[in-house]
Amino acid sequence: MGDAIVAPLADGSLYHTEETTRLVLYWCILWVVVHYLAWPLWHRRRVVGLMCSPTPVERYRRRLARSQVYCACAVVGGLRLLLGCRWSAQDLLYAYSAEHQVLFSMAVAHWLVSIWEDLHNWTFLRGGLSAKDTQNGGDPSYFLWQAYLVHHLVAAFAFGCALRMKVCTGLAAFGLIFELPVLYMNHREFIVYAENPVEWFQDIRQVELFWVTLTVWFRLARGGPTLVYLYSLIFWSEDLNRLSTKESWTYHGMAIFFSILNWGLASTFLTAWRKKDMDMAESCATKAKDFEEKFRQLLHPEDEAHVAEKEMKEEEQSIAEDLPEVVKKPLMQVTPELFASKVQGESGELWLEIDNVAYDLTEFIGKHPGGDQILRQFAGKDASKAFHKAKHSMKAKMQMQMYCVGPMMKELKEYRIFEHTNEVRTLSFSFMQVAALLAFACWLLPYSYYPSVRSLQATESFTARLLAPGLAFAAGTSTLLLPGRQRFNPSTWTCGAIYFAVCFTAILVGLELARRPVVTDAWPSGLEIGAVTIFVVEEVALHLGAEGWRYLYWRRIFLAAGLLLLSWNLRGATLDMVDHSPEHVMGGLLLGLGIPAICRLASSQNEVVMEQALQGLALTIFACLPWLLYLLMPEQDGLRTLALHAWANWTVNTLVMAIASSLCALVFVAMVLSEACASKPLASRSVAVMLSVAVGLRSGWSGWRWLAWLSWFALIGTLGQRHIAVLQSLQKSGKLGELPVQRIAVRSAWEMFYLVLGAMIWQVGQGLFKMLINGVMPQELQFYAPWLPFFELGEDVDVGVAAYYAPKEALKSKVGPHHFVCSVRHLDPSHAEGQRDLQLQQNTVRDMWLKCKDTTAGGLVANVNCFFPRLSGSTHCKEINLSGWVSADAADAWKKQHGSLPGGQGPNSRGQMRTMGSMEAILTPHGEIRHQDRCSSCARLSESATLGEKAPERCKFCGKKNFGYPFF
């Protein structure tokens, strides 16, 4: 059987389809045999028993052992295939040999056998996790079984496509390399499901090293192929364009699917498994019994149904009695209109505002110690001054949380970054919806009945060949709403309806023309011309306005236009396109003029716009059908011949695709028109952005297209700068609140885009630099770089770095800090002895920081150490240390054991500092500490009824868990 698997044909040719099928069958048989033999032979005990009558855990170990064999073979085979390729699209897309067939058949068989294995062992897939370790609280085994089932089917399908089509072989070879981190993950599961506690869990450094190594291999083996895919989109776009539709869908679909899958796996279950292992290792370092109990729970977790029942009981027991109705609802944002509607004088609801928060005191009437009249005096008003003037007790301040409705939404007078995330989320969701509809319409249109609409005349005219499919598309789309007979009455036709019909027809005809294949790949397509036309029309409309000259930015506009024209010229796009590719020129112009024009129809009167649109659809049918008949009908026996031809050439598939593409196009136009009701230029430019991004991703950077990309970035940057200038001008004049929220969201989205882009560049750069430097530095000089950059606050603001540590016991303790110690030290590194003093002090800080992790003395709640390497206006540096303790006695006991408190000067360096000045202060709270947590479900504040105690674990209003914030 082994010879049948690996031996190529005698003449060196590929295996035939039937032989490839037999290869998959042989591999399936082999993997089943390995499933039964690998673990017993490796275990070397109870071989027959492990093969014939294994326990459930042993059966899962058999699965792991077989998976290890496959992963090793896959990694070696994948490396062999990739090392035999040159760095070219030809090799990674089309290299195909008998060796590829053998390895890909092995992979198909592996994933099919894995489905069978997981079906019998799905309860162990959790890898030690329980319901409380997952975000949604569900059964991790069941969720992973579903996810693995989808993954295995898609993986087998992907390797099967590579075998069938003999392309995208580089993508499949990378799929073999994917199994490299699985070797480590299987090793971990062997440890998790061991019979006795493993020493590996008892060394936190080994656990941390394991996860660092696994993360590195995971990023290399699974992140590397994603980078290669992105590289191919930019530099191999011409080769990718030559793939057939099925090959293109396979290539892009598999790459995107597995990239998203890997990101999801890394951000969810890998993170949860790592946290679980670190908790195990830390519990071993503190309490041996706790470690043994946690290790036992890895094999036998608490029953999920029992956990859910226990969770429900805890929620019911946590909810307080006699709660007002308002507190049973989650917090919400209160608009001025909603707040004003709740003011009803002597009867009804009573709302008031305190510190920009709305409170519903309807059920508090009759309970206020000062009487109800004072409450009604401030009904619907801001009672902040009166509330603070009364100097309410802490109990009263805690009680008022039961009547909180939510924060007040004030009129926007000043733009502040990061405060418009909801608007950005709404705008992004709407943008993705419109983009998806446009993409589906363009994708389905070639497979529909519309492109096959042709003239039956003896000689097909140029006009019929150009416009007939688009007119059929417009007429078919308009009939979806089945307009009534009254809409065909000329007396009901309005200028707005006629205007909509013209624009709607232009858009759909232009879309059908623009999606056609380009005669020369280097020439701009109709979609690209349409996007450029929209941008040009909107620029002209802006500068023809009353204040358009104020935001001209003519240098940037001409730069973008020059780069685009240069790109088109170098790609051979001249006026000859009108003769050789008229469909794209006409389609781009119709699309680019129709979108801005239809957006101008929008207004704040939605009912009027809707009526004009419905009437316009009826007019579209009325205008397109006669025109179609004129272009298509033959000279003799016209209607009968046309009907017979239409009946003979349609199929169920083309009809379904026609209806689907028409539906997508209709909803696309409706959503664009709806967005235009808020901002006409924004809706129009959004479509241009969709078209340009789609064209750019499809065409890539090759063939001077990178100049078009530069032009696009220059134009988008100009639009962003202009938008910011407009908002700043409105803010100065106090009219920012009059601006539609979409305009605010655009600026916020623009800034978020730059933030994400800058953060990604920062993380890649600092991560690489940190890895290179720390690789050669000694352990004591390993440096830290933040994973996100910090704001530049100005030259007069000193920025440093802070480190925080809290013992695990303190995070869970209900005893808060009652004693604080703050120490401040200054050094002068410019002095001859300053550098030496700084180094000595850093050694002291390191030593004391390590001592903080010694929990034998107890009493430490948390410690924060801040270091500022430079102070403005001087050559000094500053160190600040703040530590919190359960009591002064606990701090004294810790000091006696370790020689000094955190941040204090250790005895080993006393008297050695030449340039250091210090200050130490003992801080004691003047009263009991008020600790507040917040509910993770209803977002209400949660605190103990007794001051000084930690907030409860669950919200007393809804029973859900709080975030669990520590004291300090």
Side-chain angles (χ1 to χ4, degrees):
M1 183 176 65
D3 293 336
I5 292 178
V6 300
L9 298 183
D11 58 354
S13 60
L14 299 175
Y15 293 102
H16 301 301
T17 303
E18 295 181 358
E19 293 169 325
T20 305
T21 305
R22 285 200 297 268
L23 273 176
V24 175
L25 179 61
Y26 292 154
W27 275 114
C28 287
I29 296 173
L30 179 61
W31 286 134
V32 172
V33 173
V34 173
H35 170 85
Y36 283 98
L37 291 180
W39 173 244
L41 293 178
W42 177 265
H43 196 258
R44 297 181 183 178
R45 290 183 299 174
R46 299 179 52 246
V47 175
V48 177
L50 292 177
M51 291 174 57
C52 300
S53 57
T55 62
V57 175
E58 294 291 353
R59 188 168 57 241
Y60 186 69
R61 290 175 187 151
R62 293 193 320 198
R63 172 196 177 276
L64 295 177
R66 192 202 63 80
S67 177
Q68 288 290 77
V69 176
Y70 165 75
C71 292
C73 297
V75 171
V76 174
L79 288 174
R80 176 177 172 80
L81 295 180
L82 292 177
L83 291 176
C85 294
R86 298 167 298 176
W87 187 251
S88 66
Q90 185 68 24
D91 282 359
L92 289 177
L93 288 176
Y94 301 108
Y96 196 72
S97 64
E99 191 171 6
H100 287 83
Q101 290 180 304
V102 171
L103 291 173
F104 296 168
S105 301
M106 175 188 73
V108 173
H110 161 74
W111 295 119
L112 294 177
V113 173
S114 295
I115 296 174
W116 167 70
E117 289 176 331
D118 290 347
L119 187 62
H120 291 83
N121 302 281
W122 68 272
T123 55
F124 294 94
L125 296 176
R126 54 188 166 77
L129 296 179
S130 60
K132 62 182 180 181
D133 297 318
T134 58
Q135 296 179 353
N136 58 1
D139 184 359
S141 294
Y142 185 69
F143 178 83
L144 279 171
W145 178 71
Q146 291 178 314
Y148 283 175
L149 178 61
V150 174
H151 168 269
H152 297 347
L153 291 174
V154 175
F157 175 76
F159 283 106
C161 289
L163 283 171
R164 177 72 175 175
M165 296 185 296
K166 302 180 177 61
V167 294
C168 306
T169 53
L171 188 71
F174 279 123
L176 298 175
I177 302 295
F178 270 24
E179 307 307 323
L180 180 58
V182 181
L183 291 169
Y184 282 84
M185 296 165 66
N186 287 341
H187 175 71
R188 174 194 174 272
E189 294 201 50
F190 273 121
I191 296 175
V192 167
Y193 293 114
E195 296 177 356
N196 299 309
V198 182
E199 294 182 0
W200 179 79
F201 267 130
Q202 303 177 18
D203 189 342
I204 191 171
R205 293 186 177 180
Q206 287 190 16
V207 174
E208 188 172 7
L209 178 62
F210 168 83
W211 278 104
V212 169
T213 306
L214 174 59
T215 303
V216 170
W217 286 120
F218 189 90
R219 291 177 178 176
L220 288 176
R222 304 204 171 187
T226 300
L227 296 178
V228 174
Y229 171 69
L230 297 176
Y231 179 91
S232 70
L233 294 179
I234 299 173
F235 298 102
W236 298 338
S237 57
E238 294 182 359
D239 298 278
L240 297 181
N241 290 338
R242 286 194 289 268
L243 294 174
S244 67
T245 303
K246 293 181 180 179
E247 294 167 354
S248 181
W249 271 94
T250 302
Y251 183 81
H252 296 291
M254 294 301 105
I256 294 173
F257 173 82
F258 286 106
S259 296
I260 296 176
L261 180 72
N262 291 328
W263 173 80
L265 176 63
S267 59
T268 54
F269 282 95
L270 283 184
T271 303
W273 282 324
R274 178 171 186 167
K275 183 178 182 300
K276 190 77 172 181
D277 293 351
M278 296 300 294
D279 289 343
M280 286 283 298
E282 289 180 1
S283 66
C284 177
T286 54
K287 298 179 180 179
K289 292 183 178 180
D290 190 17
F291 167 73
E292 293 179 359
E293 177 64 21
K294 287 189 174 182
F295 190 87
R296 184 190 63 81
Q297 291 179 358
L298 292 178
L299 277 174
H300 307 288
E302 195 171 1
D303 182 64
E304 306 297 341
H306 178 66
V307 170
E309 183 181 355
K310 182 180 178 181
E311 186 87 4
M312 187 177 298
K313 288 183 179 180
E314 290 180 356
E315 289 181 9
E316 295 174 354
Q317 294 174 357
S318 302
I319 299 177
E321 298 178 355
D322 300 329
L323 292 175
E325 289 298 322
V326 62
V327 81
K328 298 179 181 179
K329 303 176 183 178
L331 294 180
M332 65 177 182
Q333 290 183 329
V334 181
T335 62
E337 295 78 13
L338 176 62
F339 187 74
S341 67
K342 301 297 182 181
V343 181
Q344 299 183 11
E346 294 296 328
S347 61
E349 296 177 288
L350 192 155
W351 287 32
L352 53 80
E353 175 188 348
I354 299 176
D355 295 336
N356 293 326
V357 178
Y359 293 88
D360 181 1
L361 302 182
T362 306
E363 297 182 63
F364 192 61
I365 296 176
K367 302 179 182 179
H368 188 254
D372 298 341
Q373 187 61 33
I374 191 170
L375 294 180
R376 299 189 185 279
Q377 179 182 348
F378 291 98
K381 300 178 182 178
D382 187 353
S384 302
K385 292 183 178 179
F387 178 81
H388 295 299
K389 186 178 180 180
K391 297 182 179 179
H392 287 81
S393 64
M394 189 64 68
K395 183 178 180 181
K397 294 179 180 179
M398 295 168 63
Q399 186 181 10
M400 67 186 292
Q401 299 301 324
M402 292 193 298
Y403 301 94
C404 177
V405 179
M408 292 286 297
M409 291 182 62
K410 300 290 185 179
E411 181 183 359
L412 186 63
K413 298 181 179 179
E414 180 183 4
Y415 175 83
R416 296 175 64 85
I417 192 171
F418 300 143
E419 293 188 1
H420 305 280
T421 53
N422 290 333
E423 291 89 344
V424 172
R425 189 179 297 111
T426 302
L427 179 68
S428 302
F429 182 70
S430 175
F431 182 87
M432 296 302 294
Q433 281 183 312
V434 177
L437 289 169
L438 179 59
F440 275 112
C442 293
W443 174 59
L444 296 172
L445 191 55
Y447 303 100
S448 68
Y449 180 74
Y450 300 126
S452 63
V453 176
R454 290 289 183 267
S455 174
L456 297 182
Q457 298 173 3
T459 303
E460 185 179 24
S461 65
F462 173 78
T463 305
R465 179 176 60 84
L466 206 63
L467 300 180
L471 291 173
F473 185 32
T477 304
S478 302
T479 57
L480 288 178
L481 294 182
L482 296 176
R485 182 183 304 174
Q486 70 277 7
R487 298 199 181 277
F488 292 97
N489 186 355
S491 61
T492 62
W493 297 351
T494 62
C495 293
I498 298 173
Y499 181 83
F500 177 87
V502 173
C503 295
F504 184 76
T505 304
I507 291 173
L508 267 63
V509 172
L511 193 62
E512 196 284 326
L513 292 171
R515 63 89 201 161
R516 296 184 184 181
V518 186
V519 176
T520 303
D521 290 339
W523 285 1
S525 65
L527 298 178
E528 184 175 352
I529 296 174
V532 173
T533 305
I534 293 175
F535 282 128
V536 171
V537 170
E538 291 298 339
E539 286 298 311
V540 172
L542 173 69
H543 294 106
L544 290 178
E547 297 185 355
W549 59 270
R550 294 181 57 188
Y551 311 105
L552 183 57
Y553 294 97
W554 63 270
R555 291 187 180 87
R556 296 187 179 187
I557 293 296
F558 278 105
L559 174 62
L563 290 172
L564 179 66
L565 293 176
L566 180 61
S567 172
W568 283 3
N569 182 66
L570 293 174
R571 289 155 58 187
T574 61
L575 293 178
D576 292 340
M577 279 190 64
V578 178
D579 297 326
H580 296 89
S581 186
E583 61 272 15
H584 286 277
V585 176
M586 180 179 290
L589 292 176
L590 288 175
L591 194 60
L593 295 174
I595 292 294
I598 204 171
C599 289
R600 264 58 188 181
L601 182 66
S603 67
S604 58
Q605 299 177 345
N606 294 332
E607 295 81 4
V608 176
V609 175
M610 180 62 68
E611 180 62 27
Q612 290 176 342
L614 293 175
Q615 185 66 62
L617 291 175
L619 284 174
T620 303
I621 303 173
F622 186 82
C624 290
L625 286 180
W627 198 358
L628 268 176
L629 292 176
Y630 170 76
L631 294 174
L632 303 180
M633 189 178 298
E635 291 80 359
Q636 297 180 354
D637 200 10
L639 287 176
R640 182 174 178 275
T641 304
L642 189 63
L644 291 175
H645 175 77
W647 178 261
N649 285 276
W650 76 274
T651 63
V652 174
N653 182 54
T654 57
L655 183 61
V656 171
M657 290 297 181
I659 295 174
S661 59
S662 294
L663 184 61
C664 291
L666 183 63
V667 179
F668 161 74
V669 174
M671 291 195 66
V672 170
L673 196 59
S674 175
E675 294 294 328
C677 292
S679 177
K680 300 176 180 64
L682 176 60
S684 179
R685 288 195 179 104
S686 297
V687 177
V689 170
M690 298 172 197
L691 294 174
S692 54
V693 170
V695 170
L697 293 177
R698 174 65 179 172
S699 303
W701 292 70
S702 59
W704 298 102
R705 290 186 177 92
W706 60 272
L707 286 174
W709 272 105
L710 290 180
S711 172
W712 185 81
F713 278 111
L715 177 62
I716 295 299
T718 303
L719 296 178
Q721 292 296 325
R722 179 188 294 157
H723 193 71
I724 293 175
V726 171
L727 262 63
Q728 290 176 345
S729 176
L730 292 174
Q731 181 172 310
K732 290 180 181 179
S733 61
K735 299 180 180 179
L736 189 61
E738 301 175 3
L739 206 63
V741 293
Q742 289 87 346
R743 300 285 300 276
I744 303 294
V746 166
R747 177 178 178 180
S748 185
W750 179 250
E751 292 171 342
M752 290 295 292
F753 169 76
Y754 273 114
L755 173 68
V756 173
L757 181 62
M760 291 175 60
I761 297 174
W762 170 270
Q763 291 180 14
V764 172
Q766 69 91 9
L768 180 62
F769 186 74
K770 178 181 175 182
M771 182 179 67
L772 293 176
I773 298 300
N774 283 345
V776 298
M777 299 293 284
Q779 180 65 31
E780 293 78 9
L781 296 180
Q782 299 285 303
F783 75 90
Y784 164 79
W787 71 282
L788 272 181
F790 194 71
F791 294 103
E792 176 62 52
L793 300 177
E795 293 295 331
D796 56 341
V797 177
D798 300 316
V799 178
V801 62
Y804 168 84
Y805 174 75
K808 292 289 184 181
E809 293 79 3
L811 293 175
K812 300 177 181 179
S813 175
K814 296 185 178 181
V815 180
H818 294 81
H819 181 77
F820 297 87
V821 179
C822 179
S823 60
V824 181
R825 284 175 170 73
H826 293 87
L827 292 167
D828 190 353
S830 65
H831 189 270
E833 299 290 335
Q835 286 293 336
R836 174 178 174 275
D837 288 353
L838 179 60
Q839 293 167 0
L840 291 174
Q841 179 61 18
Q842 293 302 309
N843 284 338
T844 302
V845 172
R846 173 182 289 274
D847 293 339
M848 297 308 298
W849 199 257
L850 294 176
K851 292 178 181 178
C852 286
K853 298 183 179 181
D854 181 9
T855 59
T856 55
L860 177 65
V861 177
N863 185 70
V864 180
N865 186 275
C866 310
F867 180 73
F868 300 87
R870 182 182 63 85
L871 301 182
S872 301
S874 69
T875 59
H876 303 160
C877 61
K878 179 194 287 284
E879 178 195 343
I880 303 174
N881 194 93
L882 179 63
S883 56
W885 306 84
V886 294
S887 65
D889 294 336
D892 291 338
W894 202 95
K895 183 176 181 179
K896 290 179 181 179
Q897 180 174 345
H898 298 288
S900 65
L901 293 175
Q905 193 62 35
N908 58 334
S909 58
R910 183 173 297 173
Q912 295 180 3
M913 299 295 183
R914 296 286 303 275
T915 65
M916 187 183 72
S918 63
M919 182 275 292
E920 185 172 292
I922 306 298
L923 309 176
T924 303
H926 63 79
E928 292 292 341
I929 293 177
R930 182 188 181 189
H931 177 258
Q932 291 182 332
D933 206 334
R934 191 172 288 274
C935 178
S936 59
S937 178
C938 68
R940 295 185 177 277
L941 286 175
S942 180
E943 51 190 326
S944 174
T946 305
L947 289 175
E949 292 185 0
K950 191 175 183 180
E953 295 182 357
R954 293 184 176 273
C955 175
K956 63 180 180 181
F957 305 130
C958 68
K960 302 295 184 181
K961 286 187 176 181
N962 295 323
F963 286 106
Y965 296 135
F967 267 108
F968 174 57

